[in-house]
Amino acid sequence: MIHRTGRRRQHVLTKLDVAAPIEADDTAPAAASDSEDTEKEGEALEGAMAVTFSADSGRAETGSGSFGAWISERAKYIPLRLTLKERKYLRLLEAALNVSEYTDKVDILMYGNKTKRMVGQIRELCAILSGLVLASDYKAGQTLFEDRQFEDNEEFFQKIFEIGRRHKIMNPDKMRNEYGKLMYLLQDSQQRDVSELLGFSTLKPIKTVHAVLESLNVAYILEDEMVAVATKEIVAAGKSRAQVQLEIKQKERALEYLCKAYATHECPADVIRQCLYSIGDNHAFLRFNRDPCDRMLAYLKANFNPLKADSNTLSLAILSGRDGARLSHSHSNQFHYVHQTLALWRELLHDMFMLWHSADTDLLAARHAYRLTDTGQGLHRVQPCPRVSAAAHAILHRTQKAVGRWVGSAMIHLGDRNVPNALMFIDKYNQVSSILNPVVRVLEFLDSHAACPEPTDVSRFVEASHGSIDNAKKLILADFFRSAFDGSGADNFFDAGSCIDGRLTSAWNWCSAIEKKPFFNIFLLAGFVGFNGGPEGFN
C-alpha cells in the first residue's frame, strides 16, 4: 500500500503472534520477495512525497515546509511552456523580426511624422508574418487572411506576440536581437495615436502556470505535496545510476498520479502535464542562473578569512588608482562587499520571473511615455520603471537585512542614462550567470583533477606554473574577488563605483581583461571559449 496522506510515521506497530506454517510452500519465497519489493517501492515513493522545496536553497529537500504555498505564489510568474504548434509560430516570429528594421527606422532623430512611420513598420511586420504563415501552412493561412484586414486578425497577432514574450522569459539566452525589436514595437503600439491608426491591439497577458490552472478551476493542484516530486530537477552528480533511475521513476509516477487525479473535462491531463513541466523548467532556470551565485559564495567563505588575509597574494584589499580600481577597501571590507553583492545577485535572480513580469508591465504601459535620449552609448529609450523599481528595492532591503552589514552605495539606477528602461535592467542581470558560470566551471575542472588518484598532465602543468592546484584556485578567486568588484569599468564614479549597477559593470570589466590574467591558460585548458560563447562559455 502506498500512503499518500502523510500519516505513515504516526502508525503504531502492533506485534501479532502468528503460528509457524506446517508445510513449506514453493511459491512462498517468490510471494515474499514481491511483497518486499512493493513495500520498498512504496517507502521510496513515500519518502519522495515528503520532499519539500525550500525557497532559500531552491532545491527539493526532506522535511516539513509549505511547498504548496510557495509554488502557488511563484506559479503566478512562471511562464507556460510552449506547445509544438506554438513553437512553429515562434520560428515564424523570429524569422520576421530578424529581417525587420524597426528600430533602425524608428529610433532615429529626424523630422517628419514619427507616428505614421511607426504604424507603417508595424503593418509591414504583420504583413511579413502573414506571408510566412501562408507559406508554411497554406490552408491555415488562407483561413486567416483571405478577404480579411489586419484588425480582423487581432487575436492571431496578439497570440503570436505573446508567444515571443513568454518564450524569452523562460530562455534568456534566446532571441537576443529579436526581443528588443519586439518589445519596442509593442511599446510603440500602445501609444494612443499609433493605436488609433493601427486599428487593433497587439497585447495580451502572458500565460502563466497559475493563470491557466485558475482559469480551468484546478489551481488547488499546486497544494498537493506530490507536485514537489513531479517537478524536482534530477541532478546526476554524486549519485549512483540506481539512485538516479529510482528518482526518475518516482518523478514519472508522481506526474502520472497528478494527471489522473486532477484531470477534468475542462482541464485535460495534457494541460496539467504542461503546467508541471513548466514548473520543472523554473527549477532548471534557477539551477543555471541562480546557483552559480551560491557556489561563488561557498568558495568565498571556504577559501578566505573574513577578518584578515592569509598572505599578501591572497589579500582582497584594493586601493583606488591601483590596477584600475576606483574603490579603496581593506581585506575585511572587500570580503563583506563581495559577499553582499553575490547575495544580492542571488536574490535578484531568484525572483527574476517576477521582475520580468514587472518589467513587461512597465515597458508596455501607455501612461509611461519614453523619450529618445543620447545616453553616451547611443540613442536609448529612457522611461520610468515604477514597478521594477519597487520590486528591486524590496529585494535590496531584504538582502541588506540578511547580510547585516552593508558596504558601499545602495543606489539602483533605473530610468536614467545608466539603465534607461526596464528592458536594460532585465538584460543587465541576466548576464550574471554568463559571468559566474565559466569561473565555476574552471574551478570544478581543477577540483576534478585534484581528486584523481594519479597525477594528470593538467595537474602537473598547474603545479609547475602555480605551485599546486589549491594555490591556483585561490589565485583565480582572489583576482576575481578583487578586480571584478573594484568599481572599475566607467569614466566616472557615478556610472560605476559601488552602486548596485556599478558592481555588475566592474564584473564585466574583469571579463574583458581575462586574456591578460596569469591564469588564463588554465581557463583554456578547461575548454573556455568566452563569456558569451557556447553553453556556459565552453566548447
Side-chain angles (χ1 to χ4, degrees):
M1 177 181 179
I2 297 177
H3 295 260
R4 294 196 174 95
T5 60
R7 300 190 182 124
R8 185 183 183 92
R9 292 192 179 91
Q10 299 175 11
H11 291 185
V12 179
L13 178 65
T14 304
K15 295 184 179 181
L16 300 177
D17 295 330
V18 181
I22 299 174
E23 295 181 0
D25 190 351
D26 293 338
T27 62
S33 178
D34 291 343
S35 176
E36 289 176 3
D37 291 344
T38 303
E39 184 65 14
K40 287 179 180 179
E41 187 174 348
E43 290 177 358
L45 185 56
E46 182 191 359
M49 287 172 57
V51 172
T52 58
F53 197 91
S54 169
D56 296 328
S57 67
R59 296 183 178 85
E61 299 174 347
T62 301
S64 60
S66 181
F67 172 81
W70 181 83
I71 199 62
S72 296
E73 180 62 27
R74 189 171 182 83
K76 296 177 182 178
Y77 306 105
I78 298 177
L80 192 67
R81 179 188 280 196
L82 301 187
T83 62
L84 179 61
K85 186 176 180 180
E86 288 175 333
R87 291 183 186 279
K88 293 180 180 178
Y89 283 136
L90 175 67
R91 287 197 292 271
L92 299 181
L93 176 63
E94 287 179 322
L97 289 170
N98 188 42
V99 299
S100 172
E101 298 179 344
Y102 184 83
T103 50
D104 295 335
K105 295 186 177 181
V106 171
D107 288 350
I108 54 176
L109 298 177
M110 64 174 294
Y111 295 101
N113 193 323
K114 191 173 183 178
T115 300
K116 288 185 177 179
R117 192 161 67 245
M118 291 177 181
V119 173
Q121 289 298 311
I122 295 174
R123 287 185 174 274
E124 180 180 323
L125 180 68
C126 292
I128 295 172
L129 279 172
S130 304
L132 290 174
V133 171
L134 188 65
S136 62
D137 190 339
Y138 182 77
K139 290 185 178 180
Q142 191 177 34
T143 304
L144 279 171
F145 305 114
E146 187 176 19
D147 300 327
R148 301 182 73 179
Q149 300 298 320
F150 289 138
E151 46 269 28
D152 298 326
N153 290 309
E154 178 182 35
E155 186 177 347
F156 167 76
F157 290 118
Q158 288 179 349
K159 176 182 177 181
I160 200 168
F161 291 143
E162 185 272 336
I163 289 172
R165 291 154 61 206
R166 176 159 37 112
H167 176 72
K168 176 64 177 180
I169 294 176
M170 191 63 82
N171 302 274
D173 57 323
K174 306 294 184 183
M175 298 178 66
R176 293 191 176 185
N177 297 322
E178 295 85 359
Y179 183 70
K181 294 180 189 177
L182 173 63
M183 293 306 296
Y184 284 165
L185 179 148
L186 296 176
Q187 185 182 45
D188 290 337
S189 71
Q190 298 311 296
Q191 297 183 22
R192 181 180 299 178
D193 47 356
V194 173
S195 180
E196 290 176 355
L197 286 176
L198 198 58
F200 67 95
S201 174
T202 57
L203 281 189
K204 66 179 295 188
I206 293 175
K207 281 186 181 180
T208 62
V209 171
H210 190 274
V212 171
L213 293 176
E214 191 174 37
S215 66
L216 300 174
N217 300 317
V218 289
Y220 51 84
I221 186 179
L222 298 173
E223 299 175 4
D224 195 307
E225 57 186 359
M226 289 290 284
V227 175
V229 187
T231 61
K232 71 174 183 178
E233 191 176 22
I234 299 173
V235 182
K239 299 177 183 176
S240 65
R241 181 185 294 272
Q243 187 178 0
V244 172
Q245 292 297 327
L246 177 61
E247 290 185 7
I248 292 174
K249 189 175 182 180
Q250 291 170 355
K251 183 174 181 178
E252 290 174 348
R253 291 190 62 187
L255 186 65
E256 292 304 319
Y257 159 73
L258 291 170
C259 290
K260 290 179 181 178
Y262 293 95
T264 64
H265 180 70
E266 295 179 353
C267 181
D270 288 342
V271 175
I272 294 177
R273 185 175 286 105
Q274 184 186 13
C275 290
L276 294 174
Y277 284 154
S278 301
I279 296 175
D281 293 340
N282 161 74
H283 299 342
F285 174 90
L286 292 178
R287 185 173 70 90
F288 182 81
N289 291 276
R290 184 205 59 193
D291 285 6
C293 296
D294 291 328
R295 297 297 305 275
M296 293 303 292
L297 281 169
Y299 280 123
L300 174 67
K301 295 175 182 177
N303 293 278
F304 297 94
N305 188 319
L307 300 178
K308 62 178 182 178
D310 295 337
S311 65
N312 291 334
T313 307
L314 301 179
S315 173
L316 302 183
I318 57 176
L319 182 64
S320 179
R322 180 182 297 175
D323 298 328
R326 297 185 61 85
L327 302 174
S328 294
H329 285 160
S330 65
H331 172 86
S332 178
N333 280 348
Q334 184 68 2
F335 181 94
H336 289 288
Y337 181 75
V338 173
H339 179 271
Q340 70 190 22
T341 303
L342 291 172
L344 177 62
W345 288 354
R346 182 206 181 277
E347 294 303 315
L348 287 169
L349 291 169
H350 181 75
D351 290 328
M352 180 53 70
F353 286 168
M354 181 270 293
L355 288 169
W356 209 315
H357 277 263
S358 300
D360 191 85
T361 303
D362 282 342
L363 275 169
L364 305 179
R367 63 182 180 276
H368 298 151
Y370 70 85
R371 64 185 188 277
L372 199 63
T373 306
D374 185 358
T375 63
Q377 298 180 354
L379 293 174
H380 285 278
R381 300 186 177 198
V382 179
Q383 181 191 35
C385 318
R387 288 178 177 267
V388 175
S389 178
H393 279 92
I395 294 172
L396 173 61
H397 294 156
R398 188 173 71 220
T399 306
Q400 288 177 322
K401 186 177 180 180
V403 298
R405 174 187 176 188
W406 193 259
V407 180
S409 170
M411 180 179 182
I412 300 178
H413 289 284
L414 271 172
D416 57 17
R417 65 187 301 271
N418 294 294
V419 185
N421 52 56
L423 176 63
M424 297 299 172
F425 177 85
I426 292 296
D427 182 67
K428 193 178 183 76
Y429 286 97
N430 272 327
Q431 308 306 318
V432 171
S433 61
S434 298
I435 297 172
L436 299 185
N437 266 320
V439 180
V440 170
R441 286 282 298 271
V442 170
L443 296 173
E444 290 175 345
F445 170 78
L446 290 174
D447 287 336
S448 65
H449 282 276
C452 291
E454 297 292 333
T456 63
D457 292 338
V458 172
S459 62
R460 292 191 187 97
F461 170 79
V462 173
E463 289 172 1
S465 57
H466 299 285
S468 66
I469 290 181
D470 186 63
N471 192 47
K473 280 177 55 181
K474 290 184 177 181
L475 177 65
I476 294 172
L477 287 169
D479 188 85
F480 179 74
F481 293 146
R482 280 196 306 263
S483 302
F485 300 88
D486 61 359
S488 61
D491 297 331
N492 56 71
F493 189 83
F494 183 75
D495 291 345
S498 63
C499 65
I500 302 304
D501 307 283
R503 302 173 190 227
L504 194 51
T505 304
S506 304
W508 266 124
N509 189 56
W510 180 86
C511 295
S512 66
I514 188 67
E515 296 88 352
K516 301 176 183 178
K517 302 297 181 180
F519 47 77
F520 180 59
N521 47 17
I522 299 179
F523 273 67
L524 296 178
L525 284 173
F528 174 78
V529 294
F531 288 96
N532 239 1
E536 302 184 23
F538 283 73
N539 282 327

